[in-house]
Every structure is written in structure tokens, then in C-alpha cells.
Amino acid sequence: MNDLILDLRPTIELTDEQFFQICQNNRDLRIERTAEGELIIMPPTGWESGNRNSRLTQRLGNWADADGTGLTFDSSTGFKLPNGANRSPDASWVSRERLTALNPDPAKFLPMAPDFVAELRSATDSLETLRRKMQEYIDNGVRLGWLIDPQNQQVEIYRPEQEVEILKSPNSLSGEDVLPGFVLNLAQILT
């Protein structure tokens, strides 16, 4: 099953609160909103993608617990990006310093771009759509992004003002200076 894209404009222009309420009323769906106002309704993933994503989030969370400088989020967390889009990366991390300075409402979407995002391509995901999404994250302030693509056995690394780096069948990934000391073992995630 592919994503369903609804373009409600110009008939309906949802406020942030209305979009949030739609998401709350439909908790079994993953819903994102583009900067142009389109709603993207994504079906649940298959069990293999779900397991891979669980491992990704777990490993990032374990590092974040030990490191203590930020918080991790799974794919059910919404972020309101500076360009107006509402996105939910498969895994993400935000520094405590930025969260404390913003003091956001914990019951709402985070009104910021994460410092780090990871997207894990599932069998039904369009690679080009994910690439556009990764570039959108970078354009909105994300400092490091990983597009993990098990179908092609590769990882694309996104950084501000740099060309995308493509790694073929890497065993691990470095969190670089964004996630200092974090090394993601890709066993059972990429393979």
C-alpha cells in the first residue's frame, strides 16, 4: 500500500491546531503535512521494517541515555519545521539545551527541526520521496541525517551545505560531531 496524499487547498487550509487534532483523532495512522499543506497518510509498515526501525530507535535511545545531552524520538513524534511542514522522522534526536531554551508544550508537536534524523526505507517507500524529505530536513536546520535503504544496501548521509554521501553496505555509521561517540551498528537494520 502506498502513501495517500490529500490536497485540501484552497477549499480547506488547516490551522496547526486543526492538523494536530486530526492526528489525535486518528492515532492509528501516520499523518504528515507538507509545507504546501498537503496531507500525507502513510500505512503501517510490515513487520520487517517495524523490527528494523525498533532496533534503530533502541540503539539511538541507549546512546542518548548514556550520553545525557539530548532526547530521542520515535516515528510517532511530530515536528513542526520552520517551513511549515509537519514531519515525523523514523528516529530523531534533539539536544536538551535547545529543548530547554524553547520550553515546548510536551502534549503538542515540537515546533523545531531535530538536530539529527534517520529515515528507514520500507518496501513501499519511494526513494525519491525520501530523498526530498531528507533534503527538506537539512534545509530546515537538521545538522545530520541518515537515509537507510535496505533494498539497495546503502546509506545516504545528509549534512548542511555538503553533497550527499552514499555508503554501500556499511557495517556502522558515526554520529560525527552531532551525536559525539555514537556509532550505529547496522546489523539487523540494513541487512
Side-chain angles (χ1 to χ4, degrees), residues 92-108:
S92 56
W93 180 89
V94 176
S95 74
R96 284 187 191 275
E97 181 180 336
R98 290 182 64 220
L99 283 169
T100 301
L102 187 61
N103 192 27
D105 181 344
K108 301 287 184 177

Side-chain angles (χ1 to χ4, degrees), residues 45-66:
T45 63
W47 66 267
E48 184 177 46
S49 288
N51 180 262
R52 287 177 172 169
N53 200 66
S54 174
R55 290 175 188 282
L56 170 62
T57 305
Q58 173 194 14
R59 291 172 188 176
L60 180 62
N62 289 345
W63 169 82
D65 286 347

Side-chain angles (χ1 to χ4, degrees), residues 8 20 34 53 65 67 108 121 124 138 151 159 188:
L8 305 175
F20 180 79
T34 67
N53 200 66
D65 286 347
D67 178 73
K108 301 287 184 177
R121 183 180 181 205
T124 59
I138 296 299
Q151 288 88 327
R159 302 173 186 94
Q188 298 173 312

Side-chain angles (χ1 to χ4, degrees), residues 20 32 39 55 69 82 94 119 147 158 165 176:
F20 180 79
E32 293 184 334
L39 298 186
R55 290 175 188 282
T69 61
V94 176
E119 289 286 351
L147 172 51
Y158 291 75
E165 180 180 1
E176 303 175 6

Side-chain angles (χ1 to χ4, degrees), residues 2-33:
N2 293 327
D3 296 348
L4 175 63
I5 299 175
L6 298 174
D7 189 352
L8 305 175
R9 301 164 299 135
T11 308
I12 300 171
E13 298 227 7
L14 296 174
T15 66
D16 289 344
E17 187 57 39
Q18 288 170 326
F19 175 71
F20 180 79
Q21 197 57 54
I22 287 171
C23 294
Q24 296 309 297
N25 293 346
N26 297 281
R27 291 181 174 269
D28 291 341
L29 300 175
R30 256 187 85 193
I31 306 172
E32 293 184 334
R33 180 170 56 169

